Amino acid sequence: MRIDVSASILAADFGKLAEAVQLCERAGVGRIHVDVMDGHFVPTITIGPLVVQAVRACTKLPIAAHLMIENPWDHIDAFADAGADIIGVHAECYGARRLACREHGQYPKEVDAIDPHKARADIRRIRDKGKQVCFTVNPGTPVQCLDPILGDLDAVLVMSVNPGFSGQKFMPVAVPKIAWLRSIGFKKDVAIDGGVNAQTAPAVVQAGANVLVTASYFFSSKDPAGDIKALKALGEGL
Ligand code: DX5
Ligand code: ZN
């Protein structure tokens, strides 16, 4: 199985963004992951389309915009126009939130089911822009909620931390979700995001993940090319 590593610039030095992207290219990273946070869907605020545009200007690598924002439909066009190739939205924006996370400031956001019509409207919106569609599930949201729309997706991103920060500990609840996607015959990209490193990656690759997102592990590495090579090698023989 071919493993692709997607480096999240969240852990990069923003004063030297172009250098960070060049480091990704040199090290064998296959995609750039941009963590967009709005201070509502998650407690923190990070970056928006302008940064996607800046990254676009310095690389040909595919860019994935991971939208951890409320009302993603309002911003899909802006991220597409800024140059993102893959637009990732959260399942939790398309269904009734669990009671414990309905109010502003209650995290993490979780749902048990999504409204497939609402989801399909955004799938169409993303496709109309010629971009790849990724749906994401938080650790507490069952991946089965995506069942009605799986056939319409290019990728599923399984969160292995509650979104909001890099540098958190990997949550093993993500592993059976990946295995379930493969067990029902989902053949598109299955990405994992949060706490990925040399210790946690083998189990997710064994379960069937083919895209590994990493922020802190990659950007704090003393041997970025060696570490990327080792992550990719996990797919050999699978
Ligand atoms: C979490 C973000 C992740 C995060 C990963 O909200 O979506 O992409 O930056 O960071 P690490 O790899 O440090 O867990
Ligand atoms: Zn992310």
Side-chain angles (χ1 to χ4, degrees), residues 48-185:
L50 283 176
V51 172
V52 171
Q53 211 180 320
V55 174
R56 178 75 294 155
C58 57
T59 186
K60 290 202 163 51
L61 288 178
I63 299 173
H66 176 190
L67 305 185
M68 290 161 274
I69 61 177
E70 296 288 8
N71 308 318
W73 37 88
D74 285 341
H75 303 281
I76 286 170
D77 288 5
F79 283 97
D81 293 342
D85 303 284
I86 304 157
I87 308 275
V89 293
H90 265 264
E92 294 80 14
C93 296
Y94 299 87
R97 300 257 165 94
R98 286 185 184 150
L99 207 53
C101 60
R102 285 208 183 138
E103 301 295 325
H104 176 71
Q106 294 180 320
Y107 304 109
K109 302 301 185 193
E110 294 171 348
V111 296
D112 289 297
I114 62 165
D115 174 349
H117 301 289
K118 198 174 173 189
R120 281 199 192 100
D122 276 358
I123 291 170
R124 222 170 301 123
R125 198 187 299 272
I126 296 169
R127 287 234 183 282
D128 284 350
K129 284 282 180 183
K131 308 298 181 177
Q132 290 189 30
V133 185
C134 176
F135 263 68
T136 307
V137 285
N138 276 344
T141 294
V143 69
Q144 286 81 1
C145 76
L146 299 179
D147 200 31
I149 57 162
L150 278 180
D152 303 320
L153 305 181
D154 298 299
V156 172
L157 175 64
V158 176
M159 291 304 299
S160 38
V161 297
N162 282 313
F165 310 91
S166 69
Q168 301 184 81
K169 196 166 174 271
F170 179 84
M171 294 167 72
V173 69
V175 178
K177 293 184 185 183
I178 297 166
W180 179 80
L181 286 165
R182 293 310 189 199
S183 76
I184 61 156

Side-chain angles (χ1 to χ4, degrees), residues 8-11 33-37 42 44 66 68 90 157 159-170 193-197 213-218:
S8 162
I9 57 165
L10 195 55
H33 180 96
V34 181
D35 282 312
V36 180
M37 307 188 192
V42 289
T44 29
H66 176 190
M68 290 161 274
H90 265 264
L157 175 64
M159 291 304 299
S160 38
V161 297
N162 282 313
F165 310 91
S166 69
Q168 301 184 81
K169 196 166 174 271
F170 179 84
D193 186 6
V196 171
N197 57 41
V213 179
T214 163
S216 52
Y217 177 63
F218 177 72

